Amino acid sequence: MASSHLHSFELLSSALTGFSVFELRGTGLISTYFGLFRERVGSEVFERLLGQFDQIRAEIGGSCSSSFEARIRREILADDEFGVPARHLIKLWYLGSWDQISDSWWNVYASDGTNVGGIPNASAYIEGLAWKAMHSHPMAAKPPGFASWEHPPTSTVNSSNKKDEP
Amino acid sequence: MNEDIDFDVVIIGGGVAGAILAKELTRQKATVLMLEAGDGETDSLEKYRNLLQNYYLADIKIPNSPYPVVRSPEGEAYAGQPTVLDDRLMNNGGASQYMLQAGPMPHRSSYTRILGGTVLHWLGTCLRMVPENFEMEKRFRCGRNWPLDYWTLQKHYQKAEEEIGVSADVSEQGYLGIEFEEDYVFPMHRVPPSYLDKVLQRRLRGMVALHAGHKLPLQVVSTPQGRNSTPNRFFNGGHGFKPKGAVGNPEVGQRCIGNSSCVPICPVQAKYNPLKTLASATREHLQVSARCVASKVHWDKESGDITGVEYISYDAQGRLNLEPKKARGRLYVLAAHAVENAKLLLNSGIRSSSGLVGKNLMDHPVMLTWGLMPEPVWSYRGPGSTSGIPIFAAGAFRADSAAFRIEIGNWGWNWAAGAPYSTVDDLVHRKNLFGQGLRDRLGEEAARHIRFGFLFEQLPTSTNRVEVDPGQKDVLGIPRPIVHYDVDEYTRRGMSHAKSVSDQIFRFAGIEDHTHYNPADPGYVDHDGEGFVYFGAGHFGGTHVMGTRPETSVVDSYQQSWDHKNLYIVGCGSFPTMGTENPTLTMAAMAYRTAESISARLTGK
């Protein structure tokens, strides 16, 4: 069913990116990427990948366990069919841009879908997770304010990385 | 030909020099026609927002990426321009590039033809030239002498600093012979240094570097910038300073707010751009015509007087107006860029008595070194650079090797490696990270990215030059610029010294070196068995050199042509030497000097 697919997609994205569903929903891009991802890898690969992920979820139970991560790694990222789309999805979330998929995968696994690269819209660039992971902001958007660059980012204040200022 | 209304002054080029002249001359009630070859869709708030959207959607975010180009039905730009990707030699895959690269090495800089010009995407670094740059030949027996000195230019530097809106504190800036008028303060206080600057300053405390046989202490110094910061209330005899915000929305852009995208575009226009100068010109005396490409300067063979500038126009939809027009004025100013000025002159049969039009082309080749700091410095934030290490910009060693300025970069490995795209690529594809592990590792690594840029001087030489060839025309039928360029031993020796200094900095500060230079890179040069890679800083100069005599220069110290009395040729093309300082401030100061001369002439004083 469409809404459970969307929920699986959210959870898959969260597991692959290390950002919570809450954080991903905050980008406003879940349904855009849901549609784009299915378009780019084709509906059949899409269904099978989500199916594999759902099976792992059902059998493991909780998403924070190391066995959950191990299964994601072995059965999705290391899988010959699922690894390529999964890594592309990580990069789509992190950088807001879809890379064209290599012929070597496409010719074997794709049955439908459109294999083009690019930035889907300005929001995709602006909501790139890489900048958040870096405690920064997308260049030319979300400016943190005058003199903010003089101090460590405020998002690091409570982390163990905080260093006393020089 | 169309009968065009005569103007007092015709200015070719809508960049920083043209804008300053337009503003100064219209203020004196001169009528000015400005022809800009590129598009004009830049000078309102809404148009500027479109530029920003272009940037967000650009696959490769190069300096030109926000700025639209109007093309022919076949896809060729009417106002051609080189991008940083156009680094192939013309006989090795580069035959279709607008600016043809004859070699032996590629000139790696780009420029942008649009209303506002290349300074739309400058970083904002706003340094005065150190005094010894003006007398290289006299002091070091190499290079050339300027026909004026630092002190003659001093009051024009002040005007330029006011118009641009420069942020700096005088107390930090009096090094290497630079001096200021008593009680001078910059319009605004220095832009706050980055956290990275402060960490580096702490880690380099007490360091002495060995350079070309001499030991020199290193200081991290704030870089003066054309970027809005806190106004200095003592500016202008206590009148203070009001920062200029965005064109059409002046309350926005009063301060830099850390968009970290100066190159190529400041979303709020806290960074100076020439549109601000144009917007404050006296519009009733100014006509700005964009999408008008000057193709030929007509001149009287007897008197040398310019009789008109022929130009071709096109509309925003890409339709050509096939009927050429002629712009006429009492005086003419070429302000189209060092390369475009030379190209236009050469296409008009103007080489000057000296034969030096197009010759002495220079850039600031830039060498990057990069690595991982031993502690987080939280890169990718703030202006592209807020501090530098100036000590190597001057000194007796210049008799033998190129001076260089060290720019401390705040944007991590963005330029050097394409980070964070390259970093994510590496972590996902090669390090096989995902989930929380990916997120943490990206955060941890990127926070320690540091990058240094070394900007080198080049000596003027007649073999580095712009030429034209009637067999190599652009889509408008105008011969394109052909650039002959090399990086000589003087500069390569400088690169070698700089790499040694970089290595010493890395060792002293404990930086893990990730610098590597690929022999297949278009900018790869070697020296004594060592290899380096240079990029272009975007600084073209030298092509219509200033001097004291028509036999050895193209223009005089007011940038007036020796041979054509009603012609001024302005911009970095007039520079006899490049030094290591980003040239925009000096170009602007020279534009003010020229404006004074033209004003005096028009009013008969």
Side-chain angles (χ1 to χ4, degrees):
Chain A
M1 301 199 29
S3 64
S4 71
H5 264 145
L6 189 64
H7 189 52
S8 294
F9 176 77
E10 282 185 322
L11 291 170
L12 173 66
S13 295
S14 175
L16 289 176
T17 61
F19 284 78
S20 69
V21 167
F22 178 77
E23 287 174 304
L24 296 183
R25 285 182 184 170
T27 67
L29 288 168
I30 291 192
S31 59
T32 302
Y33 284 177
F34 176 79
L36 184 74
F37 185 58
R38 190 218 253 118
E39 246 277 301
R40 293 283 167 267
V41 304
S43 57
E44 294 191 19
V45 172
F46 179 80
E47 301 269 333
R48 284 199 292 272
L49 170 53
L50 287 188
Q52 182 68 33
F53 177 69
D54 286 341
Q55 190 179 337
I56 297 172
R57 268 203 303 139
E59 291 170 11
I60 293 282
S63 69
C64 295
S65 66
S66 59
S67 50
F68 179 72
E69 275 184 27
R71 288 196 65 177
I72 301 280
R73 180 183 289 288
R74 286 202 300 263
E75 296 171 36
I76 293 180
L77 289 163
D79 182 84
D80 205 56
E81 178 183 1
F82 299 139
V84 166
R87 278 185 287 283
H88 276 63
L89 182 61
I90 294 174
K91 286 179 69 182
L92 176 64
W93 276 110
Y94 267 73
L95 300 171
S97 173
W98 180 264
D99 290 341
Q100 199 175 22
I101 296 181
S102 67
D103 286 344
S104 55
W105 184 91
W106 192 265
N107 294 337
V108 175
Y109 295 109
S111 50
D112 58 332
T114 328
N115 190 16
V116 294
I119 299 174
N121 56 41
S123 286
Y125 166 74
I126 291 168
E127 296 299 329
L129 300 177
W131 310 103
K132 294 187 178 72
M134 289 155 62
H135 300 281
S136 173
H137 67 95
M139 295 168 116
K142 303 192 179 195
F146 179 70
S148 53
W149 55 87
E150 198 174 8
H151 311 284
T154 51
S155 53
T156 64
V157 165
N158 293 321
S159 82
S160 58
N161 272 333
K162 182 177 190 321
K163 171 110 186 132
D164 289 336
E165 299 207 24
Chain B
M1 299 222 176
N2 266 7
E3 281 287 315
D4 267 5
I5 307 162
D6 279 13
F7 291 82
D8 287 323
V9 186
V10 173
I11 299 177
I12 309 300
V16 61
I20 285 173
L21 281 158
K23 178 172 175 175
E24 288 305 291
L25 298 175
T26 54
R27 196 161 56 83
Q28 308 287 335
K29 297 187 170 45
T31 57
V32 174
L33 170 66
M34 170 182 276
L35 298 183
E36 165 54 48
D39 202 21
E41 302 301 302
T42 53
D43 57 351
S44 75
L45 197 61
E46 193 180 321
K47 291 174 188 176
Y48 201 84
R49 281 203 190 113
N50 292 338
L51 303 178
L52 194 53
Q53 284 299 308
N54 294 341
Y55 172 79
Y56 291 147
L57 296 171
D59 284 320
I60 313 175
K61 290 171 166 37
I62 55 177
N64 312 63
S65 53
Y67 305 108
V69 171
V70 181
R71 297 178 184 276
S72 70
E74 297 76 33
E76 266 200 71
Y78 286 127
Q81 58 194 20
T83 75
V84 293
L85 303 174
D86 292 332
D87 51 16
R88 312 197 68 172
L89 298 186
M90 58 194 278
N91 58 10
N92 185 17
S96 62
Q97 290 167 180
Y98 166 74
M99 187 180 87
L100 292 168
Q101 305 263 25
M105 292 300 296
H107 193 299
R108 300 197 78 183
S109 287
S110 64
Y111 56 87
T112 297
R113 293 166 86 192
I114 195 169
L115 188 64
T118 303
V119 173
L120 284 171
H121 57 75
W122 75 323
L123 174 52
T125 298
C126 230
L127 294 158
R128 298 187 179 194
M129 276 204 171
V130 296
E132 61 181 53
N133 285 353
F134 295 87
E135 39 185 45
M136 290 278 297
E137 208 283 319
K138 179 172 149 193
R139 287 208 196 201
F140 307 118
R141 294 270 169 271
C142 61
R144 299 173 68 109
N145 296 324
W146 289 54
L148 46 87
D149 62 13
Y150 171 85
W151 272 108
T152 309
L153 208 48
Q154 215 273 134
K155 59 180 173 149
H156 302 297
Y157 270 135
Q158 288 184 187
K159 290 197 78 169
E161 284 159 357
E162 179 174 8
E163 176 63 25
I164 289 171
V166 175
S167 299
D169 294 326
V170 166
S171 58
E172 265 192 291
Q173 301 302 326
Y175 56 77
L176 300 177
I178 292 182
E179 286 173 354
F180 299 90
E181 244 177 31
E182 200 177 340
D183 297 335
Y184 179 69
V185 296
F186 286 89
M188 293 170 283
H189 291 288
R190 70 175 189 171
V191 171
S194 63
Y195 181 79
L196 182 155
D197 291 337
K198 295 193 288 186
V199 172
L200 193 64
Q201 191 166 45
R202 167 168 53 81
R203 288 199 163 258
L204 292 182
R205 196 158 292 140
M207 179 179 173
V208 173
L210 184 65
H211 167 258
H214 287 96
K215 293 198 163 166
L216 292 166
L218 297 197
Q219 300 274 351
V220 171
V221 178
S222 291
T223 304
Q225 301 159 51
R227 183 172 284 106
N228 288 338
S229 182
T230 308
N232 188 326
R233 65 193 174 89
F234 295 111
F235 181 73
N236 192 16
H239 288 103
F241 181 79
K242 175 123 172 67
K244 275 187 262 177
V247 172
N249 197 8
E251 294 308 311
V252 168
Q254 292 278 316
R255 295 283 185 286
C256 172
I257 49 175
N259 270 290
S260 314
S261 60
C262 326
V263 183
I265 185 167
C266 177
V268 298
Q269 300 185 57
K271 184 190 75 168
Y272 171 78
N273 69 60
L275 299 172
K276 299 188 187 193
T277 298
L278 272 176
S280 58
T282 311
R283 301 308 294 234
E284 66 193 282
H285 300 308
L286 174 63
Q287 179 177 321
V288 177
S289 298
R291 297 186 291 270
C292 292
V293 184
S295 53
K296 195 171 275 195
V297 174
H298 291 256
W299 51 289
D300 183 286
K301 300 296 186 283
E302 301 260 313
S303 64
D305 282 351
I306 309 301
T307 54
V309 175
E310 190 180 324
Y311 64 96
I312 302 167
S313 62
Y314 57 94
D315 68 15
Q317 285 71 45
R319 289 177 298 233
L320 261 188
N321 182 342
L322 293 166
E323 194 187 349
K325 298 185 185 171
K326 209 175 198 182
R328 266 188 285 272
R330 289 168 60 193
L331 299 174
Y332 297 83
V333 177
L334 299 194
H337 186 271
V339 172
E340 292 295 321
N341 276 357
K343 170 195 133 193
L344 179 57
L345 290 167
L346 293 172
N347 282 335
S348 309
I350 297 177
R351 291 199 166 265
S352 96
S353 307
S354 63
L356 290 179
V357 169
K359 300 206 170 125
N360 302 306
L361 173 67
M362 295 171 282
D363 190 7
H364 287 127
V366 182
M367 181 179 83
L368 304 178
T369 63
W370 60 101
L372 285 173
M373 286 286 278
E375 61 184 279
V377 287
W378 306 111
S379 310
Y380 303 94
R381 302 183 310 139
S385 175
T386 37
S387 303
I389 299 172
I391 191 77
F392 305 102
F397 66 88
R398 289 169 93 179
D400 181 63
S401 66
F404 55 90
R405 185 177 81 81
I406 304 180
E407 175 194 270
I408 299 167
N410 286 329
W411 298 344
W413 298 359
N414 181 257
W415 186 2
Y421 303 87
S422 55
T423 319
V424 170
D425 218 72
D426 177 61
L427 295 177
V428 168
H429 286 293
R430 271 176 291 284
K431 297 196 163 78
N432 289 310
L433 295 173
F434 72 100
Q436 191 68 41
L438 168 64
R439 182 176 182 175
D440 289 346
R441 182 74 171 267
L442 176 59
E444 191 274 331
E445 262 189 35
R448 298 193 292 134
H449 282 182
I450 191 166
R451 180 278 279 166
F452 297 90
F454 296 80
L455 281 79
F456 297 94
E457 69 178 322
Q458 290 195 275
L459 293 177
T461 166
S462 59
T463 49
N464 283 355
R465 63 196 192 274
V466 176
E467 283 188 354
V468 294
D469 175 355
Q472 298 280 6
K473 292 190 164 121
D474 68 10
V475 66
L476 295 177
I478 303 171
R480 294 139 74 186
I482 302 172
V483 164
H484 297 253
Y485 181 78
D486 200 0
V487 175
D488 69 5
E489 280 306 304
Y490 180 85
T491 296
R492 294 184 193 207
R493 274 195 293 277
M495 293 173 81
S496 177
H497 289 313
K499 186 62 172 62
S500 163
V501 167
S502 179
D503 293 344
Q504 293 171 61
I505 289 173
F506 279 47
R507 275 179 224 125
F508 197 90
I511 302 172
E512 182 181 305
D513 198 344
H514 283 254
T515 308
H516 58 272
Y517 301 128
N518 183 350
D521 194 297
Y524 185 86
V525 289
D526 57 36
H527 173 77
D528 271 5
E530 256 190 298
F532 314 103
V533 166
Y534 70 90
F535 294 94
H539 304 160
F540 295 79
T543 52
H544 43 82
V545 63
M546 266 195 286
T548 53
R549 298 188 297 130
E551 293 81 13
T552 52
S553 56
V554 178
V555 298
D556 69 12
S557 73
Y558 294 95
Q559 303 187 88
Q560 182 182 6
S561 160
W562 291 111
D563 298 326
H564 310 273
K565 294 302 178 197
N566 62 346
L567 176 65
Y568 292 78
I569 314 167
V570 308
C572 301
S574 301
F575 289 18
T577 60
M578 287 296 276
T580 64
E581 296 76 12
N582 301 45
T584 299
L585 183 68
T586 301
M587 161 167 47
M590 286 299 306
Y592 277 106
R593 183 171 161 86
T594 299
E596 269 182 19
S597 169
I598 292 180
S599 287
R601 238 174 119 169
L602 288 175
T603 58
K605 292 197 182 83

